[in-house]
Amino acid sequence: MELEIECLASGGYGLGRWEGKVIFVPYGVPGDLLDVEVTEDHRDYAFAQIRGIKKPSSHRVTPPCPVFGSCGGCQWLHIDYPIQLKAKEALAKRELRRVLENEGAFHPIIPSEPHLEHRTKAKLRVFKNQIGFYQQKSHQVVAMGHCPMMTSIMNKALLTFYHHLKELKEVEEIDLLSHGGEKTLLISMKSRRRLKAIHQIFHALKEDTQCEIGLRVVWKGKASHLGPRTMEEEILCHKLLIGHDTFFQNNRFIRERLAALVLEQAIPWLDGEVLELYAGVGTFTVPLVKAGARITAVEGHAPSAQFLKENAPQAEVWKASCEKALEQLRDRSFSLIILDPPRTGCSPYVRQAIGNLVTKAIIYVSCNPATMARDMALWKEQGYHLTFIQPLDMFPHTGHVEMVGVIVKG
């Protein structure tokens, strides 16, 4: 079947049409003329794979990675970066159309500059002398010697692991957490049994990366540690401690811009109490507290909540799920609610409980415009209006986009 790709769609697909039916094609680029074969057919849409490129799009570029197309880490590394940004703006607008009353509220996407070597966190899989990420929609490990998305010290560590594959034969997973300025690398390995060569690997990593190494090996509920267990990051000139198991925004080049945006949008409502849900280690909490905000911060993940208490001692920190916290906070009023939920968005209870609270405004940070629109639709019915939307390219070369949205009561 000959198919022209019209645009990019959610999930990272190229989108074309055949006799009125929408066809989703992985790795299709707008402007491509392709020979495709349908792999999954439905009444109104189908999925197809590329059999040949009859005429490549002018926006198609050579990906700077030999395993692109096999590795599941990136979907758009073969697309000119400005076209990726335009596509993400269009996808976000499409998802938010039912809550976006004023086109002027939608701001142009903020790019990641640079858009390579931005990634500070990665989970590597180890299987049969192969180290890499999973293949797209598979548990097959794609071996790689270098990832253009990861920081240089993460890539140096990857080479060290290959040099010690024999000693790592019992290791299943390796989590890497890089300092944004590449001063420290925290490494956590999941092993089937105790790693006998832990000291040898630790010293090799220090020598090869020329940075501070914190190495943890976890096996059968036990853990061995060498080097630091935490590292200090900086957001808007404020120090934050983070550790192996904590969430921290993955793109080192844009996370400060994200924090600054949230702070800027929050300032008009800092006269009253602020409720922050899914607070993590305090990426937004700390700058807000320093700006004089009175914050109740909720975090259900125990390690993150502990770091949150250390990073923002002036905040009222709740180590609880958002569901449990909102149940107990239902009689309190807040001038502002800030939330940064997972990709799945808010649970039905959290969505309803937020709507029931007395508040002037809600700042919603999301990595999924679809679930963001779903949650905001309920609040719109309760009298809120979307006044500000700012997309950011937190995840270059993928179909994902970060959003900051502000909805105001009345």
Side-chain angles (χ1 to χ4, degrees), residues 175-190:
D175 286 299
L176 303 176
L177 180 60
S178 170
H179 184 270
E182 304 199 84
K183 299 175 183 177
T184 308
L185 183 62
L186 298 183
I187 302 169
S188 183
M189 297 181 178
K190 181 181 176 183

Side-chain angles (χ1 to χ4, degrees), residues 265-392:
Q265 294 300 315
I267 283 173
W269 294 285
L270 297 188
D271 54 331
E273 288 194 53
V274 177
L275 173 63
E276 184 183 0
L277 304 173
Y278 313 96
V281 298
T283 304
F284 308 135
T285 322
V286 172
L288 283 162
V289 164
K290 299 295 184 182
R294 290 170 289 148
I295 295 186
T296 299
V298 179
E299 175 52 52
H301 180 241
S304 295
Q306 185 56 47
F307 279 104
L308 178 60
K309 287 181 179 180
E310 294 181 45
N311 292 329
Q314 306 95 327
E316 179 186 342
V317 175
W318 287 49
K319 188 177 75 174
S321 69
C322 290
E323 285 80 2
K324 288 183 179 178
L326 286 166
E327 186 178 348
Q328 297 180 56
L329 292 167
R330 62 180 181 271
D331 295 326
R332 286 173 60 175
S333 61
F334 299 92
S335 60
L336 174 67
I337 297 173
I338 300 171
L339 65 155
D340 184 6
R343 193 175 299 279
T344 52
C346 299
S347 69
Y349 180 86
V350 168
R351 193 161 56 242
Q352 187 62 55
I354 289 172
N356 292 340
L357 283 172
V358 177
T359 188
K360 298 176 183 176
I362 301 170
I363 297 177
Y364 194 134
V365 182
S366 172
C367 60
N368 187 341
T371 54
M372 182 188 205
R374 178 203 65 198
D375 295 342
M376 283 187 168
L378 173 68
W379 304 326
K380 183 180 178 182
E381 292 174 2
Q382 296 172 323
Y384 287 90
H385 299 280
L386 182 59
T387 60
F388 178 87
I389 283 286
Q390 177 65 71
L392 304 94

